[in-house]
Coordinates of all heavy atoms in Angstrom, one line a residue:
Chain Z
L42 N 12.8 52.5 3.2 CA 11.8 53.6 3.3 C 11.2 53.8 4.7 O 10.7 54.7 5.0 CB 10.5 53.2 2.4 CG 10.8 53.2 0.9 CD1 9.5 52.8 0.3 CD2 11.2 54.5 0.3
S43 N 11.5 52.8 5.6 CA 11.1 52.9 7.0 C 12.0 53.8 7.8 O 13.0 54.3 7.4 CB 10.9 51.5 7.5 OG 10.4 51.6 8.8
V44 N 11.5 54.0 9.0 CA 12.5 54.6 10.0 C 12.5 53.7 11.2 O 11.4 53.4 11.8 CB 11.7 56.0 10.5 CG1 12.5 56.7 11.6 CG2 11.7 56.8 9.3
G45 N 13.6 53.2 11.6 CA 13.8 52.3 12.6 C 13.1 51.0 12.4 O 12.3 50.9 11.4
D46 N 13.6 49.9 12.9 CA 13.0 48.6 12.7 C 12.8 48.3 11.3 O 11.9 47.7 10.8 CB 11.5 48.4 13.3 CG 11.7 48.2 14.8 OD1 12.8 48.0 15.4 OD2 10.5 48.2 15.5
R49 N 12.3 44.5 10.3 CA 10.9 44.2 10.4 C 10.0 44.2 9.1 O 9.3 43.3 8.9 CB 10.3 45.0 11.5 CG 8.8 44.9 11.6 CD 8.2 46.2 12.1 NE 6.8 46.2 11.8 CZ 5.8 45.7 12.5 NH1 6.1 45.3 13.8 NH2 4.5 45.8 12.2
I50 N 10.3 45.2 8.3 CA 9.8 45.3 7.0 C 10.0 44.2 6.2 O 9.2 43.6 5.5 CB 9.9 46.7 6.3 CG1 9.8 48.0 7.2 CG2 9.4 46.8 5.0 CD1 8.4 48.2 7.4
D53 N 8.2 41.0 7.5 CA 6.7 41.1 7.4 C 6.3 40.9 5.9 O 5.4 40.2 5.6 CB 6.3 42.4 7.9 CG 6.2 42.6 9.4 OD1 6.3 41.4 10.1 OD2 5.9 43.7 9.9
V54 N 6.9 41.7 5.0 CA 6.5 41.6 3.6 C 7.0 40.3 3.0 O 6.2 39.6 2.3 CB 7.2 42.9 2.9 CG1 6.8 42.8 1.4 CG2 6.7 44.1 3.6
A57 N 4.6 37.6 4.2 CA 3.3 37.8 3.6 C 3.5 37.3 2.2 O 2.4 36.7 1.6 CB 2.9 39.2 3.6
H60 N 3.4 33.6 2.2 CA 1.9 33.1 2.4 C 1.1 33.3 1.1 O 0.4 32.3 0.8 CB 1.5 34.0 3.5 CG 0.2 33.5 4.1 ND1 -0.4 34.1 5.2 CD2 -0.5 32.3 3.9 CE1 -1.5 33.4 5.5 NE2 -1.6 32.4 4.8
I61 N 1.0 34.4 0.5 CA 0.2 34.7 -0.7 C 0.5 33.7 -1.8 O -0.3 33.2 -2.3 CB 0.3 36.2 -1.0 CG1 -0.2 37.2 0.0 CG2 -0.5 36.4 -2.4 CD1 -0.1 38.5 -0.2
F175 N -10.2 29.4 2.8 CA -9.0 30.2 3.3 C -9.3 31.5 4.0 O -8.9 31.7 5.2 CB -8.1 30.5 2.0 CG -7.0 31.6 2.4 CD1 -6.0 31.2 3.1 CD2 -7.3 32.9 1.9 CE1 -5.0 32.3 3.4 CE2 -6.2 33.9 2.2 CZ -5.2 33.5 2.9
F176 N -10.4 32.2 3.5 CA -10.7 33.5 4.2 C -11.5 33.2 5.4 O -11.2 33.8 6.5 CB -11.6 34.4 3.3 CG -10.7 34.9 2.0 CD1 -11.2 34.6 0.8 CD2 -9.8 35.7 2.3 CE1 -10.4 35.1 -0.3 CE2 -9.1 36.3 1.2 CZ -9.5 36.0 -0.1
H179 N -9.3 32.1 8.4 CA -8.7 33.2 9.3 C -9.6 34.0 10.1 O -9.2 35.0 10.6 CB -7.8 34.1 8.2 CG -6.5 33.4 7.8 ND1 -5.5 33.3 8.6 CD2 -6.2 32.8 6.6 CE1 -4.5 32.7 8.0 NE2 -5.0 32.4 6.9
L180 N -11.0 33.7 9.9 CA -11.9 34.5 10.7 C -12.6 33.6 11.8 O -13.4 34.1 12.5 CB -13.0 34.9 9.7 CG -12.6 36.0 8.8 CD1 -13.9 36.3 7.8 CD2 -12.3 37.3 9.5
Y183 N -12.6 35.0 15.2 CA -13.5 36.1 15.4 C -14.9 35.6 15.5 O -15.8 36.1 16.4 CB -13.4 36.9 14.0 CG -14.1 38.3 14.1 CD1 -13.9 39.2 15.3 CD2 -14.8 38.7 13.0 CE1 -14.6 40.5 15.1 CE2 -15.5 39.8 12.9 CZ -15.3 40.8 14.1 OH -16.0 41.9 14.2
E211 N -5.6 30.3 11.6 CA -4.8 31.4 12.4 C -3.9 30.4 13.4 O -3.0 30.9 14.1 CB -5.7 32.1 13.3 CG -6.3 33.3 12.5 CD -5.2 34.3 12.1 OE1 -4.4 34.8 12.9 OE2 -5.1 34.6 11.0
N214 N -0.5 30.7 11.9 CA 0.0 32.0 11.8 C 1.0 32.5 12.9 O 0.5 32.9 13.9 CB -1.3 33.0 11.6 CG -0.8 34.3 11.1 OD1 0.4 34.6 10.7 ND2 -1.7 35.3 11.1
K216 N 3.3 34.8 11.9 CA 4.2 35.9 11.2 C 4.5 37.1 12.1 O 5.4 37.7 12.2 CB 3.4 36.4 10.0 CG 3.2 35.3 8.9 CD 2.9 35.8 7.4 CE 1.6 36.3 7.5 NZ 0.4 35.4 7.5
N217 N 3.4 37.4 12.9 CA 3.5 38.5 13.9 C 4.7 38.3 14.9 O 5.4 39.3 15.2 CB 2.3 38.6 14.7 CG 2.0 39.9 15.3 OD1 2.5 41.1 14.7 ND2 1.6 40.0 16.4
A220 N 8.3 39.5 13.8 CA 8.8 40.7 13.8 C 9.3 41.3 15.2 O 10.1 42.2 15.1 CB 7.5 41.6 13.4
Y221 N 8.8 40.5 16.2 CA 9.3 40.9 17.5 C 10.4 39.9 18.0 O 10.6 39.9 19.3 CB 8.1 41.0 18.5 CG 7.2 42.1 18.0 CD1 6.0 41.7 17.2 CD2 7.5 43.5 18.0 CE1 5.2 42.6 16.8 CE2 6.7 44.4 17.4 CZ 5.5 44.0 16.8 OH 4.8 45.0 16.3
Chain N
S53 N -11.7 46.2 12.2 CA -11.9 44.8 12.5 C -10.7 44.0 12.0 O -10.7 43.5 10.9 CB -13.1 44.4 11.9 OG -14.3 44.9 12.2
E55 N -9.4 41.4 12.3 CA -9.5 40.0 11.9 C -9.8 39.9 10.5 O -9.4 38.6 9.8 CB -10.8 39.2 12.6 CG -10.6 39.2 14.2 CD -10.9 40.4 14.8 OE1 -11.3 41.5 14.2 OE2 -10.5 40.6 16.0
F56 N -10.2 40.8 9.8 CA -10.5 40.8 8.3 C -9.2 41.1 7.6 O -9.2 41.3 6.4 CB -11.5 41.8 8.0 CG -13.0 41.2 8.5 CD1 -13.5 41.5 9.5 CD2 -13.6 40.4 7.5 CE1 -14.8 41.1 9.9 CE2 -14.9 39.9 7.8 CZ -15.5 40.2 9.1
A57 N -8.1 41.2 8.2 CA -6.8 41.1 7.6 C -6.4 39.8 7.2 O -5.4 39.7 6.3 CB -5.8 41.7 8.6
F58 N -7.1 38.8 7.4 CA -6.8 37.4 7.0 C -5.4 36.9 7.2 O -4.8 36.3 6.4 CB -7.3 37.2 5.5 CG -8.7 37.6 5.2 CD1 -8.9 38.6 4.6 CD2 -9.7 36.8 5.8 CE1 -10.4 39.0 4.4 CE2 -11.0 37.2 5.6 CZ -11.3 38.2 4.9
G59 N -4.8 37.3 8.3 CA -3.5 36.8 8.6 C -2.4 37.7 8.1 O -1.2 37.3 8.1
F60 N -2.9 38.9 7.5 CA -1.7 39.8 7.0 C -1.8 41.1 7.7 O -1.5 42.2 7.1 CB -2.2 40.2 5.4 CG -2.0 38.7 4.6 CD1 -3.0 38.0 4.3 CD2 -0.7 38.3 4.3 CE1 -2.9 36.8 3.5 CE2 -0.6 37.2 3.5 CZ -1.7 36.5 3.1
N62 N 0.3 42.4 9.9 CA 1.6 42.9 10.0 C 1.9 43.6 8.8 O 2.5 44.9 8.8 CB 2.6 41.9 10.3 CG 2.9 41.7 11.7 OD1 2.1 41.9 12.5 ND2 4.0 41.4 12.2
V63 N 1.8 43.0 7.7 CA 2.2 43.7 6.4 C 1.3 44.9 6.1 O 1.7 46.0 5.6 CB 2.1 42.6 5.3 CG1 0.8 42.3 4.8 CG2 3.2 43.1 4.1
A65 N -0.1 46.8 8.5 CA 0.5 47.7 9.4 C 1.7 48.4 8.8 O 1.9 49.7 8.9 CB 0.9 47.1 10.6
D66 N 2.6 47.6 8.2 CA 3.8 48.2 7.6 C 3.6 49.2 6.4 O 4.2 50.2 6.3 CB 4.7 47.1 7.1 CG 5.2 46.0 8.2 OD1 5.2 46.6 9.3 OD2 5.8 45.1 7.8
W69 N 2.3 52.3 8.0 CA 3.6 52.9 8.6 C 4.5 53.6 7.7 O 4.9 54.7 7.9 CB 4.3 52.0 9.5 CG 5.7 52.3 10.0 CD1 6.9 51.7 9.7 CD2 6.1 53.5 10.8 NE1 7.9 52.4 10.3 CE2 7.4 53.4 11.0 CE3 5.3 54.6 11.2 CZ2 8.0 54.5 11.8 CZ3 5.9 55.4 12.0 CH2 7.2 55.4 12.2
L70 N 4.6 52.9 6.5 CA 5.5 53.6 5.5 C 4.8 54.8 5.0 O 5.4 55.9 4.7 CB 5.7 52.6 4.3 CG 6.7 51.4 4.6 CD1 6.9 50.5 3.4 CD2 8.0 52.0 5.2
V73 N 5.5 57.4 7.5 CA 6.9 58.0 7.5 C 6.9 58.9 6.3 O 7.7 60.1 6.4 CB 7.8 56.8 7.2 CG1 9.2 57.3 6.9 CG2 7.9 55.9 8.5
Q74 N 6.3 58.7 5.3 CA 6.3 59.7 4.1 C 5.8 61.0 4.5 O 6.3 62.0 4.1 CB 5.6 59.1 2.9 CG 6.1 57.8 2.3 CD 7.6 57.8 2.1 OE1 8.1 58.7 1.5 NE2 8.2 56.8 2.6
E96 N -2.5 52.3 12.0 CA -1.3 51.4 12.4 C -1.4 50.7 13.6 O -1.1 49.5 13.7 CB 0.0 52.3 12.2 CG 1.2 51.5 12.0 CD 1.7 50.7 13.2 OE1 1.4 51.1 14.4 OE2 2.2 49.7 12.9
D100 N -1.4 46.8 14.3 CA -0.2 46.0 15.0 C 0.0 46.9 16.3 O 0.9 47.8 16.2 CB 0.9 45.9 14.1 CG 2.0 45.2 14.8 OD1 1.8 44.8 15.9 OD2 3.1 45.0 14.2
P101 N -0.7 46.7 17.3 CA -0.6 47.5 18.5 C 0.9 47.5 19.1 O 1.4 48.3 20.0 CB -1.6 47.0 19.5 CG -2.5 46.1 18.8 CD -1.8 45.8 17.5
K102 N 1.6 46.4 18.9 CA 2.9 46.0 19.6 C 4.1 46.8 19.0 O 5.0 47.0 19.5 CB 3.2 44.6 19.4 CG 2.5 43.7 20.5 CD 3.3 42.5 20.9 CE 2.8 41.4 19.9 NZ 3.4 40.1 20.3
F103 N 3.7 47.4 17.7 CA 4.9 48.1 16.9 C 5.1 49.4 17.7 O 4.2 50.4 17.7 CB 4.4 48.3 15.5 CG 5.5 48.7 14.6 CD1 7.0 48.8 15.0 CD2 5.1 49.1 13.2 CE1 7.9 49.1 14.2 CE2 6.2 49.4 12.3 CZ 7.6 49.5 12.8
E104 N 6.3 49.7 18.4 CA 6.4 50.7 19.3 C 6.9 52.0 18.5 O 6.6 53.1 18.9 CB 7.5 50.4 20.4 CG 8.7 50.0 19.9 CD 9.5 49.5 21.1 OE1 9.0 49.0 22.0 OE2 10.9 49.6 21.0
M105 N 7.7 51.8 17.4 CA 8.1 53.0 16.8 C 7.2 54.0 16.3 O 7.4 55.3 16.4 CB 9.0 52.5 15.5 CG 9.8 53.5 14.8 SD 10.9 54.5 15.9 CE 12.2 53.3 16.0
L109 N 7.9 57.7 17.5 CA 8.2 58.8 16.4 C 7.1 59.7 16.1 O 7.1 60.9 16.2 CB 8.9 58.0 15.3 CG 9.4 59.2 14.2 CD1 10.7 59.7 14.6 CD2 9.4 58.5 12.9

Side-chain angles (χ1 to χ4, degrees):
Chain Z
L42 296 177
S43 182
V44 175
D46 280 352
R49 170 205 156 96
I50 304 285
D53 285 349
V54 180
H60 195 178
I61 292 169
F175 164 74
F176 291 118
H179 282 284
L180 288 176
Y183 191 46
E211 281 295 308
N214 185 9
K216 296 197 291 286
N217 195 38
Y221 301 103
Chain N
S53 296
E55 293 77 12
F56 286 89
F58 302 111
F60 295 100
N62 267 30
V63 79
D66 290 350
W69 169 233
L70 290 179
V73 168
Q74 301 310 307
E96 199 288 331
D100 186 3
K102 282 204 273 181
F103 194 8
E104 61 187 26
M105 184 57 80
L109 185 75

